[in-house]
Amino acid sequence: MIDLHVHSTCSDGSETPERVVELAAAAGCTAMALTDHDGLAGVARAGERAKSLGIGFVPGCEVSCAFSPGTMHALAYFVEPGEGPLQSELERLRRDRSKRNDLLLQRLKDLGLPVILDEVEAAAGSSVVGRPHFASVLVANGAASSIQDAFERLLAKGAPGYVPKARIDAAAFIAAATGAGAVAVLAHPLTLGIDAPGLDRVLEELSAVGLVGMECYYGRYSPEERAGLALMAKRHDIVATGGSDFHGSFKPDLLVGTGTGDLDVPDTAISELLDRKPR
Ligand code: AMP
Ligand code: ZN
Ligand code: FE
Ligand code: FE
């Protein structure tokens, strides 16, 4: 068993990079990937802990791509911090987030919910600031009863406090990942908000520009959904990958490795991804 989708305190997870690796090892994973949003700040720490615990480690990240009607997230694997085309794109996305955070603060203020930047930054610590941190401040201030409530009433797409963030074009992300010696994978494809023929077209288009895999075994998907997606990946000759999307207390129903309890991502996904790695 492996887990190729895990968030830490370096983005919007509640557990440190070291801790998520410990949780993966304890769950029985032979390897895991750290995939924080828009950054690689945790991969060195997680990699060290994985080495000491004797489990495999894949450095990665997750980004939001431009797409409608739903949302498209993509993952990159085998990417290290430092210089490179993907690393520069991630830096740009992080810069754009700080502008979005200012807009979000203003929006909440307009709604009569004064949240100050200091509180959000304290909630985020040293990590990439995201809506879950705003949500936790809203909960702490009594403006929402739970993270979920804060999203539903205020922060989710369509809610009055929603402020979109900068998104990267999927083909540009795939190109940057490939240029950095990494591989790109489509995350949790059911959030795209399209039907199966629509997903077929997306896979056709993105695999032509270098997409190597799709996250079929996802923490929240049913066994039937996982199996259907894996068949689709096979038809497009891309790797069926998977992971829990663990965020700790921000998504309390998801566990490292086992997702909602029955996830079991095959170990072979890593070697299949490595086979597609450029250079
Ligand atoms: P951001 O990147 O700042 O837009 O925040 C995205 C994060 O918010 C991701 O971790 C999402 O999974 C999380 N998120 C989005 N919608 C919800 C929701 N309804 N409840 C809890 N977390 C959510
Ligand atoms: Zn997240
Ligand atoms: Fe995601
Ligand atoms: Fe995620």
Side-chain angles (χ1 to χ4, degrees):
M1 181 173 86
I2 57 172
D3 190 337
L4 297 179
H5 193 155
V6 175
H7 296 271
S8 77
T9 48
C10 289
S11 65
D12 54 0
S14 64
E15 307 304 315
T16 62
E18 289 85 0
R19 181 75 187 136
V20 294
V21 175
E22 290 162 10
L23 290 170
C29 290
T30 56
M32 69 152 266
L34 187 71
T35 54
D36 278 310
H37 299 279
D38 302 350
L40 300 164
V43 304
R45 289 167 59 187
E48 280 300 308
R49 185 54 56 97
K51 204 193 252 174
S52 73
L53 291 175
I55 73 166
F57 180 72
V58 177
C61 62
E62 178 177 27
V63 302
S64 300
C65 297
F67 191 77
S68 73
T71 54
M72 180 188 281
H73 289 183
L75 298 153
Y77 295 116
F78 312 118
V79 56
E80 301 282 353
E83 301 283 302
L86 179 57
Q87 293 83 345
S88 330
E89 287 298 332
L90 295 174
E91 203 181 317
R92 188 176 62 78
L93 290 170
R94 291 197 300 273
R95 274 201 308 275
D96 286 334
R97 263 181 190 273
S98 80
K99 289 183 227 156
R100 185 246 202 154
N101 293 340
D102 292 340
L103 289 173
L104 220 163
L105 286 172
Q106 187 57 47
R107 184 69 65 84
L108 292 173
K109 199 171 162 201
D110 294 345
L111 290 167
L113 296 166
V115 169
I116 58 173
L117 186 59
D118 284 355
E119 293 175 297
V120 179
E121 285 182 343
S126 57
S127 49
V128 174
V129 176
R131 282 180 293 162
H133 304 116
F134 283 85
S136 73
V137 172
L138 289 165
V139 172
N141 291 356
S145 61
S146 64
I147 300 274
Q148 195 56 35
D149 178 50
F151 268 95
E152 279 168 17
R153 287 192 302 107
L154 296 162
L155 301 172
K157 200 171 184 173
Y162 178 69
V163 177
K165 67 178 178 225
R167 283 161 191 280
I168 183 171
D169 175 71
F173 174 73
I174 294 166
T178 309
V183 295
V185 166
L186 180 64
H188 43 69
L190 301 185
T191 59
L192 295 179
I194 53 178
D195 58 9
L199 181 54
D200 265 321
R201 283 192 293 277
V202 167
L203 292 177
E204 189 80 26
E205 191 187 312
L206 296 184
S207 60
V209 294
L211 183 83
V212 310
M214 172 161 76
E215 190 174 56
C216 304
Y217 310 109
Y218 183 63
R220 284 206 175 118
Y221 294 170
S222 70
E224 294 73 27
E225 287 169 335
R226 293 173 195 161
L229 289 167
L231 273 179
M232 194 180 261
K234 202 178 167 89
R235 266 198 286 113
H236 286 272
D237 189 30
I238 58 174
V239 183
T241 70
S244 63
D245 209 359
F246 177 80
H247 281 73
S249 62
F250 290 103
K251 293 188 183 182
D253 61 319
L254 295 173
L255 302 175
V256 178
T258 53
T260 53
D262 66 344
L263 190 66
D264 187 357
V265 181
D267 291 39
T268 47
I270 294 182
S271 56
E272 290 173 31
L273 287 175
L274 269 174
D275 285 344
R276 316 268 178 137
K277 192 177 168 323
R279 294 197 288 262

